PDB file of all heavy atoms in Angstrom:
ATOM      1  N   ALA A  15       0.811  -1.219   0.000  1.00  0.00           N
ATOM      2  CA  ALA A  15       0.000   0.000   0.000  1.00  0.00           C
ATOM      3  C   ALA A  15       0.841   1.265   0.000  1.00  0.00           C
ATOM      4  O   ALA A  15       0.302   2.354   0.143  1.00  0.00           O
ATOM      5  CB  ALA A  15      -0.921  -0.002   1.215  1.00  0.00           C
ATOM      6  N   THR A  16       2.170   1.150  -0.145  1.00  0.00           N
ATOM      7  CA  THR A  16       3.014   2.342  -0.067  1.00  0.00           C
ATOM      8  C   THR A  16       3.759   2.588  -1.374  1.00  0.00           C
ATOM      9  O   THR A  16       4.066   1.669  -2.117  1.00  0.00           O
ATOM     10  CB  THR A  16       4.050   2.207   1.067  1.00  0.00           C
ATOM     11  OG1 THR A  16       4.924   1.125   0.768  1.00  0.00           O
ATOM     12  CG2 THR A  16       3.377   1.989   2.413  1.00  0.00           C
ATOM     13  N   THR A  17       4.047   3.856  -1.600  1.00  0.00           N
ATOM     14  CA  THR A  17       4.886   4.265  -2.719  1.00  0.00           C
ATOM     15  C   THR A  17       6.049   5.053  -2.138  1.00  0.00           C
ATOM     16  O   THR A  17       5.854   5.931  -1.301  1.00  0.00           O
ATOM     17  CB  THR A  17       4.104   5.143  -3.713  1.00  0.00           C
ATOM     18  OG1 THR A  17       2.995   4.380  -4.208  1.00  0.00           O
ATOM     19  CG2 THR A  17       4.973   5.564  -4.881  1.00  0.00           C
ATOM     20  N   THR A  18       7.261   4.727  -2.588  1.00  0.00           N
ATOM     21  CA  THR A  18       8.468   5.358  -2.072  1.00  0.00           C
ATOM     22  C   THR A  18       9.280   5.913  -3.225  1.00  0.00           C
ATOM     23  O   THR A  18       9.314   5.327  -4.303  1.00  0.00           O
ATOM     24  CB  THR A  18       9.329   4.307  -1.322  1.00  0.00           C
ATOM     25  OG1 THR A  18       8.524   3.651  -0.359  1.00  0.00           O
ATOM     26  CG2 THR A  18      10.518   4.935  -0.646  1.00  0.00           C
ATOM     27  N   GLU A  19       9.927   7.038  -2.976  1.00  0.00           N
ATOM     28  CA  GLU A  19      10.848   7.590  -3.960  1.00  0.00           C
ATOM     29  C   GLU A  19      12.262   7.284  -3.504  1.00  0.00           C
ATOM     30  O   GLU A  19      12.578   7.412  -2.327  1.00  0.00           O
ATOM     31  CB  GLU A  19      10.639   9.096  -4.103  1.00  0.00           C
ATOM     32  CG  GLU A  19       9.300   9.430  -4.725  1.00  0.00           C
ATOM     33  CD  GLU A  19       9.151  10.901  -5.078  1.00  0.00           C
ATOM     34  OE1 GLU A  19      10.176  11.585  -5.238  1.00  0.00           O
ATOM     35  OE2 GLU A  19       8.005  11.334  -5.197  1.00  0.00           O
ATOM     36  N   LEU A  20      13.093   6.851  -4.457  1.00  0.00           N
ATOM     37  CA  LEU A  20      14.473   6.550  -4.104  1.00  0.00           C
ATOM     38  C   LEU A  20      15.385   6.746  -5.292  1.00  0.00           C
ATOM     39  O   LEU A  20      14.933   6.828  -6.437  1.00  0.00           O
ATOM     40  CB  LEU A  20      14.597   5.124  -3.560  1.00  0.00           C
ATOM     41  CG  LEU A  20      14.191   3.973  -4.475  1.00  0.00           C
ATOM     42  CD1 LEU A  20      15.417   3.359  -5.127  1.00  0.00           C
ATOM     43  CD2 LEU A  20      13.494   2.911  -3.643  1.00  0.00           C
ATOM     44  N   LEU A  21      16.678   6.830  -4.997  1.00  0.00           N
ATOM     45  CA  LEU A  21      17.681   6.901  -6.044  1.00  0.00           C
ATOM     46  C   LEU A  21      17.839   5.496  -6.589  1.00  0.00           C
ATOM     47  O   LEU A  21      18.370   4.619  -5.922  1.00  0.00           O
ATOM     48  CB  LEU A  21      19.010   7.414  -5.482  1.00  0.00           C
ATOM     49  CG  LEU A  21      20.160   7.442  -6.480  1.00  0.00           C
ATOM     50  CD1 LEU A  21      19.950   8.550  -7.505  1.00  0.00           C
ATOM     51  CD2 LEU A  21      21.482   7.621  -5.768  1.00  0.00           C
ATOM     52  N   GLY A  22      17.356   5.285  -7.799  1.00  0.00           N
ATOM     53  CA  GLY A  22      17.428   3.965  -8.406  1.00  0.00           C
ATOM     54  C   GLY A  22      18.756   3.687  -9.064  1.00  0.00           C
ATOM     55  O   GLY A  22      19.132   2.534  -9.262  1.00  0.00           O
ATOM     56  N   GLY A  23      19.480   4.745  -9.396  1.00  0.00           N
ATOM     57  CA  GLY A  23      20.784   4.594 -10.022  1.00  0.00           C
ATOM     58  C   GLY A  23      21.367   5.945 -10.360  1.00  0.00           C
ATOM     59  O   GLY A  23      20.711   6.976 -10.202  1.00  0.00           O
ATOM     60  N   PHE A  24      22.612   5.914 -10.805  1.00  0.00           N
ATOM     61  CA  PHE A  24      23.270   7.159 -11.198  1.00  0.00           C
ATOM     62  C   PHE A  24      24.391   6.838 -12.171  1.00  0.00           C
ATOM     63  O   PHE A  24      24.874   5.709 -12.246  1.00  0.00           O
ATOM     64  CB  PHE A  24      23.823   7.908  -9.976  1.00  0.00           C
ATOM     65  CG  PHE A  24      25.064   7.276  -9.420  1.00  0.00           C
ATOM     66  CD1 PHE A  24      26.315   7.728  -9.798  1.00  0.00           C
ATOM     67  CD2 PHE A  24      24.983   6.210  -8.546  1.00  0.00           C
ATOM     68  CE1 PHE A  24      27.465   7.122  -9.318  1.00  0.00           C
ATOM     69  CE2 PHE A  24      26.118   5.601  -8.051  1.00  0.00           C
ATOM     70  CZ  PHE A  24      27.372   6.053  -8.440  1.00  0.00           C
ATOM     71  N   GLY A  25      24.791   7.839 -12.912  1.00  0.00           N
ATOM     72  CA  GLY A  25      25.939   7.740 -13.803  1.00  0.00           C
ATOM     73  C   GLY A  25      26.684   9.055 -13.787  1.00  0.00           C
ATOM     74  O   GLY A  25      26.067  10.112 -13.648  1.00  0.00           O
ATOM     75  N   ALA A  26      28.000   8.996 -13.905  1.00  0.00           N
ATOM     76  CA  ALA A  26      28.825  10.203 -13.952  1.00  0.00           C
ATOM     77  C   ALA A  26      29.756  10.101 -15.143  1.00  0.00           C
ATOM     78  O   ALA A  26      30.479   9.106 -15.286  1.00  0.00           O
ATOM     79  CB  ALA A  26      29.623  10.368 -12.664  1.00  0.00           C
ATOM     80  N   MET A  27      29.712  11.109 -16.012  1.00  0.00           N
ATOM     81  CA  MET A  27      30.560  11.118 -17.203  1.00  0.00           C
ATOM     82  C   MET A  27      31.308  12.432 -17.287  1.00  0.00           C
ATOM     83  O   MET A  27      30.721  13.505 -17.152  1.00  0.00           O
ATOM     84  CB  MET A  27      29.734  10.918 -18.471  1.00  0.00           C
ATOM     85  CG  MET A  27      30.597  10.804 -19.722  1.00  0.00           C
ATOM     86  SD  MET A  27      29.629  10.490 -21.209  1.00  0.00           S
ATOM     87  CE  MET A  27      29.244   8.773 -20.973  1.00  0.00           C
ATOM     88  N   GLU A  28      32.620  12.313 -17.524  1.00  0.00           N
ATOM     89  CA  GLU A  28      33.480  13.476 -17.700  1.00  0.00           C
ATOM     90  C   GLU A  28      33.665  13.709 -19.194  1.00  0.00           C
ATOM     91  O   GLU A  28      33.983  12.780 -19.943  1.00  0.00           O
ATOM     92  CB  GLU A  28      34.829  13.230 -17.032  1.00  0.00           C
ATOM     93  CG  GLU A  28      35.753  14.411 -17.083  1.00  0.00           C
ATOM     94  CD  GLU A  28      37.028  14.174 -16.293  1.00  0.00           C
ATOM     95  OE1 GLU A  28      37.327  13.012 -15.951  1.00  0.00           O
ATOM     96  OE2 GLU A  28      37.718  15.166 -16.030  1.00  0.00           O
ATOM     97  N   PHE A  29      33.477  14.949 -19.610  1.00  0.00           N
ATOM     98  CA  PHE A  29      33.540  15.311 -21.021  1.00  0.00           C
ATOM     99  C   PHE A  29      34.842  16.039 -21.335  1.00  0.00           C
ATOM    100  O   PHE A  29      35.174  17.025 -20.689  1.00  0.00           O
ATOM    101  CB  PHE A  29      32.358  16.224 -21.389  1.00  0.00           C
ATOM    102  CG  PHE A  29      31.030  15.528 -21.292  1.00  0.00           C
ATOM    103  CD1 PHE A  29      30.378  15.408 -20.075  1.00  0.00           C
ATOM    104  CD2 PHE A  29      30.448  14.977 -22.414  1.00  0.00           C
ATOM    105  CE1 PHE A  29      29.158  14.752 -19.976  1.00  0.00           C
ATOM    106  CE2 PHE A  29      29.225  14.321 -22.331  1.00  0.00           C
ATOM    107  CZ  PHE A  29      28.586  14.209 -21.104  1.00  0.00           C
ATOM    108  N   GLY A  30      35.574  15.533 -22.329  1.00  0.00           N
ATOM    109  CA  GLY A  30      36.769  16.202 -22.829  1.00  0.00           C
ATOM    110  C   GLY A  30      36.451  16.850 -24.161  1.00  0.00           C
ATOM    111  O   GLY A  30      35.279  17.020 -24.517  1.00  0.00           O
ATOM    112  N   LEU A  31      37.485  17.185 -24.909  1.00  0.00           N
ATOM    113  CA  LEU A  31      37.267  17.828 -26.201  1.00  0.00           C
ATOM    114  C   LEU A  31      36.700  16.870 -27.239  1.00  0.00           C
ATOM    115  O   LEU A  31      35.785  17.223 -27.972  1.00  0.00           O
ATOM    116  CB  LEU A  31      38.574  18.436 -26.719  1.00  0.00           C
ATOM    117  CG  LEU A  31      39.087  19.631 -25.925  1.00  0.00           C
ATOM    118  CD1 LEU A  31      40.423  20.096 -26.466  1.00  0.00           C
ATOM    119  CD2 LEU A  31      38.069  20.757 -25.965  1.00  0.00           C
ATOM    120  N   ASP A  32      37.246  15.646 -27.318  1.00  0.00           N
ATOM    121  CA  ASP A  32      36.755  14.703 -28.319  1.00  0.00           C
ATOM    122  C   ASP A  32      36.461  13.318 -27.748  1.00  0.00           C
ATOM    123  O   ASP A  32      36.044  12.423 -28.464  1.00  0.00           O
ATOM    124  CB  ASP A  32      37.735  14.591 -29.495  1.00  0.00           C
ATOM    125  CG  ASP A  32      39.144  14.213 -29.057  1.00  0.00           C
ATOM    126  OD1 ASP A  32      39.376  14.034 -27.848  1.00  0.00           O
ATOM    127  OD2 ASP A  32      40.022  14.109 -29.932  1.00  0.00           O
ATOM    128  N   ARG A  33      36.668  13.152 -26.440  1.00  0.00           N
ATOM    129  CA  ARG A  33      36.391  11.883 -25.758  1.00  0.00           C
ATOM    130  C   ARG A  33      35.677  12.168 -24.451  1.00  0.00           C
ATOM    131  O   ARG A  33      35.885  13.200 -23.840  1.00  0.00           O
ATOM    132  CB  ARG A  33      37.688  11.152 -25.419  1.00  0.00           C
ATOM    133  CG  ARG A  33      38.519  10.749 -26.594  1.00  0.00           C
ATOM    134  CD  ARG A  33      39.833  10.161 -26.120  1.00  0.00           C
ATOM    135  NE  ARG A  33      39.709   8.740 -25.895  1.00  0.00           N
ATOM    136  CZ  ARG A  33      39.995   7.818 -26.791  1.00  0.00           C
ATOM    137  NH1 ARG A  33      40.424   8.182 -27.976  1.00  0.00           N
ATOM    138  NH2 ARG A  33      39.859   6.543 -26.521  1.00  0.00           N
ATOM    139  N   ALA A  34      34.872  11.200 -24.068  1.00  0.00           N
ATOM    140  CA  ALA A  34      34.226  11.260 -22.749  1.00  0.00           C
ATOM    141  C   ALA A  34      34.672  10.033 -21.965  1.00  0.00           C
ATOM    142  O   ALA A  34      35.042   9.008 -22.543  1.00  0.00           O
ATOM    143  CB  ALA A  34      32.709  11.279 -22.895  1.00  0.00           C
ATOM    144  N   HIS A  35      34.649  10.153 -20.651  1.00  0.00           N
ATOM    145  CA  HIS A  35      35.029   9.043 -19.776  1.00  0.00           C
ATOM    146  C   HIS A  35      33.876   8.774 -18.818  1.00  0.00           C
ATOM    147  O   HIS A  35      33.480   9.658 -18.064  1.00  0.00           O
ATOM    148  CB  HIS A  35      36.300   9.384 -18.998  1.00  0.00           C
ATOM    149  CG  HIS A  35      36.810   8.248 -18.196  1.00  0.00           C
ATOM    150  ND1 HIS A  35      36.704   8.214 -16.836  1.00  0.00           N
ATOM    151  CD2 HIS A  35      37.392   7.083 -18.563  1.00  0.00           C
ATOM    152  CE1 HIS A  35      37.224   7.078 -16.384  1.00  0.00           C
ATOM    153  NE2 HIS A  35      37.648   6.376 -17.413  1.00  0.00           N
ATOM    154  N   LEU A  36      33.316   7.572 -18.902  1.00  0.00           N
ATOM    155  CA  LEU A  36      32.270   7.168 -17.963  1.00  0.00           C
ATOM    156  C   LEU A  36      32.965   6.808 -16.664  1.00  0.00           C
ATOM    157  O   LEU A  36      33.653   5.792 -16.577  1.00  0.00           O
ATOM    158  CB  LEU A  36      31.457   5.996 -18.512  1.00  0.00           C
ATOM    159  CG  LEU A  36      30.277   5.558 -17.659  1.00  0.00           C
ATOM    160  CD1 LEU A  36      29.243   6.680 -17.512  1.00  0.00           C
ATOM    161  CD2 LEU A  36      29.625   4.313 -18.252  1.00  0.00           C
ATOM    162  N   VAL A  37      32.815   7.651 -15.669  1.00  0.00           N
ATOM    163  CA  VAL A  37      33.523   7.509 -14.403  1.00  0.00           C
ATOM    164  C   VAL A  37      32.830   6.488 -13.513  1.00  0.00           C
ATOM    165  O   VAL A  37      33.484   5.622 -12.918  1.00  0.00           O
ATOM    166  CB  VAL A  37      33.627   8.878 -13.681  1.00  0.00           C
ATOM    167  CG1 VAL A  37      34.360   8.765 -12.358  1.00  0.00           C
ATOM    168  CG2 VAL A  37      34.298   9.908 -14.590  1.00  0.00           C
ATOM    169  N   LEU A  38      31.510   6.594 -13.391  1.00  0.00           N
ATOM    170  CA  LEU A  38      30.731   5.732 -12.498  1.00  0.00           C
ATOM    171  C   LEU A  38      29.366   5.453 -13.118  1.00  0.00           C
ATOM    172  O   LEU A  38      28.784   6.336 -13.750  1.00  0.00           O
ATOM    173  CB  LEU A  38      30.509   6.414 -11.138  1.00  0.00           C
ATOM    174  CG  LEU A  38      31.736   6.766 -10.304  1.00  0.00           C
ATOM    175  CD1 LEU A  38      31.358   7.744  -9.196  1.00  0.00           C
ATOM    176  CD2 LEU A  38      32.369   5.516  -9.725  1.00  0.00           C
ATOM    177  N   LEU A  39      28.846   4.256 -12.879  1.00  0.00           N
ATOM    178  CA  LEU A  39      27.486   3.908 -13.274  1.00  0.00           C
ATOM    179  C   LEU A  39      27.029   2.775 -12.359  1.00  0.00           C
ATOM    180  O   LEU A  39      27.729   1.765 -12.247  1.00  0.00           O
ATOM    181  CB  LEU A  39      27.413   3.462 -14.735  1.00  0.00           C
ATOM    182  CG  LEU A  39      26.009   3.148 -15.256  1.00  0.00           C
ATOM    183  CD1 LEU A  39      25.228   4.439 -15.498  1.00  0.00           C
ATOM    184  CD2 LEU A  39      26.074   2.341 -16.534  1.00  0.00           C
TER     185      LEU A  39
END
């Protein structure tokens, strides 16, 4: 009977000039 809000996931990406780096997921 309950509804909860939570952090289901996250991702962190660092952006360079021509490449990106997925730091965390």
Side-chain angles (χ1 to χ4, degrees):
T16 64
T17 300
T18 307
E19 292 189 22
L20 60 99
L21 176 71
F24 75 95
M27 185 177 284
E28 184 174 15
F29 294 83
L31 292 176
D32 56 0
R33 297 174 88 93
H35 186 253
L36 184 62
V37 180
L38 299 165
L39 183 75

